[in-house]
Amino acid sequence: MNEHNYTYHDDNFSLDKTEDYTLLIQVEDKSFSYAISNNGFLIAWAENYPFDELSDPQELLDLLSAKYKQIVIGLPAHSFTLVPAELFTADRLPNFARFLDVKPDSKVLAQTLDQENIIVYKTNEAIVNAAEEFGIRNTVFTSKGWLTAIARNNAGSNDLYLNIEKDKVEISYFASNKLRFYNSFEFKEADELAYFTVLVAKELNLEPKSTSLYLSGDIEADDKILSRLAEFFDKAEVNNLEVLQLPAEVVAHRVLSIAALSLCAL
């Protein structure tokens, strides 16, 4: 996918006012993005900073070391499993972790995803160590906000929701506003993405030609991926859901995942 490096700062943004702001950080394996909100408005956003800038900030030292009203950090999952909340207990965590092929440099975390699901996921130890500088209690699974936003927006039972970041797609499905399916896949081209999406639809007993797709993330409104998916599904379009009020120059689908982390604020 495209290596965009969008940056936006509201004219009224000021590091002298950070105690009124919420800082949102979304971490990937080798990079991270940040967004800052104030009273429900997006006032700053920047993408694709190298991971070292998070663990040892130079360019962003003032911004990352400032005191904020709230901080939310989304951590990536290298593998994960969903466990029904009623079955999960802390002493069972090692048993669930066995499904994740844990390596010596891995950390296993368990967090509430929604009322019915606990997500147990593996991420890199270096990522967790960097996040701990901001307080581990401020961390969530990176897509918790995205899933929460969709659930709150009356997700249709014939709809699939996709979020694309670089070479990975997340696919979710809801019925009665409850999460019924969530998984992620790596892909290299539009045909491969179409294959995985059709496969998910079939597994869910959805007829593709009666199913609508709503995409967010690293995609443009005129992207050929949309036209390719539309060959198999009823429609495929960008997701215009807004979690924060956005300036005219920032499109909703591009920031949906990171903006939705604001729904996870304590």
Side-chain angles (χ1 to χ4, degrees):
M1 302 304 295
N2 297 325
E3 286 288 346
H4 296 305
N5 288 281
Y6 294 115
T7 299
Y8 166 78
H9 283 82
D10 185 272
D11 291 340
N12 294 319
F13 171 82
S14 172
L15 287 175
D16 294 329
K17 302 177 182 177
T18 56
E19 290 191 4
D20 296 325
Y21 299 163
T22 296
L23 173 65
L24 311 170
I25 299 176
Q26 197 162 45
V27 185
E28 298 181 46
D29 287 343
K30 297 180 180 179
S31 64
F32 72 96
S33 301
Y34 73 82
I36 297 174
S37 67
N38 181 33
N39 294 323
F41 288 81
L42 180 75
I43 59 172
W45 169 50
E47 289 188 310
N48 292 328
Y49 277 91
F51 178 75
D52 289 347
E53 184 67 18
L54 183 64
S55 55
D56 183 22
Q58 303 295 322
E59 180 181 349
L60 298 178
L61 179 60
D62 290 342
L63 186 144
L64 293 178
S65 61
K67 184 177 180 180
Y68 291 88
K69 180 180 180 180
Q70 297 183 82
I71 299 174
V72 183
I73 305 171
L75 301 182
H78 297 145
S79 59
F80 64 87
T81 185
L82 296 183
V83 180
E86 61 186 13
L87 298 180
F88 181 84
T89 57
D91 61 309
R92 292 180 177 175
L93 180 58
N95 295 327
F96 296 126
R98 292 173 184 170
F99 294 102
L100 305 181
D101 188 25
V102 178
K103 305 297 184 182
D105 62 348
S106 300
K107 284 281 191 178
V108 176
L109 302 173
Q111 296 171 340
T112 300
L113 191 61
D114 57 29
Q115 290 185 342
E116 297 185 0
N117 297 287
I118 303 293
I119 185 165
V120 179
Y121 65 102
K122 175 183 74 173
T123 193
N124 188 276
E125 184 176 25
I127 290 174
V128 175
N129 291 341
E132 285 180 337
E133 294 294 323
F134 300 89
I136 196 67
R137 71 183 184 89
N138 296 317
T139 64
V140 298
F141 170 60
T142 191
S143 295
K144 178 178 179 177
W146 177 67
L147 294 169
T148 300
I150 295 169
R152 292 183 180 183
N153 197 50
N154 298 317
S157 58
N158 288 312
D159 300 335
L160 289 177
Y161 295 85
L162 283 66
N163 187 61
I164 295 174
E165 296 298 342
K166 297 179 181 176
D167 58 354
K168 186 179 78 170
V169 59
E170 302 168 276
I171 304 178
S172 61
Y173 172 71
F174 294 78
S176 302
N177 293 328
K178 293 184 179 181
L179 180 65
R180 298 305 183 196
F181 176 89
Y182 171 75
N183 208 344
S184 63
F185 307 90
E186 293 185 356
F187 73 99
K188 295 182 180 179
E189 57 185 9
D191 285 348
E192 199 171 9
L193 175 61
Y195 168 80
F196 285 126
T197 310
V198 170
L199 179 64
V200 168
K202 293 293 188 180
E203 288 293 321
L204 294 170
N205 294 317
L206 297 175
E207 173 54 47
K209 283 300 183 181
S210 300
T211 302
S212 300
L213 306 182
Y214 298 94
L215 288 80
S216 56
D218 187 10
I219 191 170
E220 304 297 338
D222 59 352
D223 200 301
K224 67 178 182 180
I225 282 178
L226 293 172
S227 58
R228 185 60 173 146
L229 289 170
E231 295 178 24
F232 301 93
F233 292 88
D234 178 45
K235 64 180 178 181
E237 59 186 44
V238 296
N239 191 340
N240 291 316
L241 175 62
E242 289 192 21
V243 176
L244 299 173
Q245 295 194 53
L246 305 176
E249 55 265 53
V250 176
V251 292
H253 75 269
R254 193 67 192 85
V255 297
L256 177 56
S257 182
I258 189 168
L261 285 175
S262 63
L263 300 177
C264 306
L266 297 176

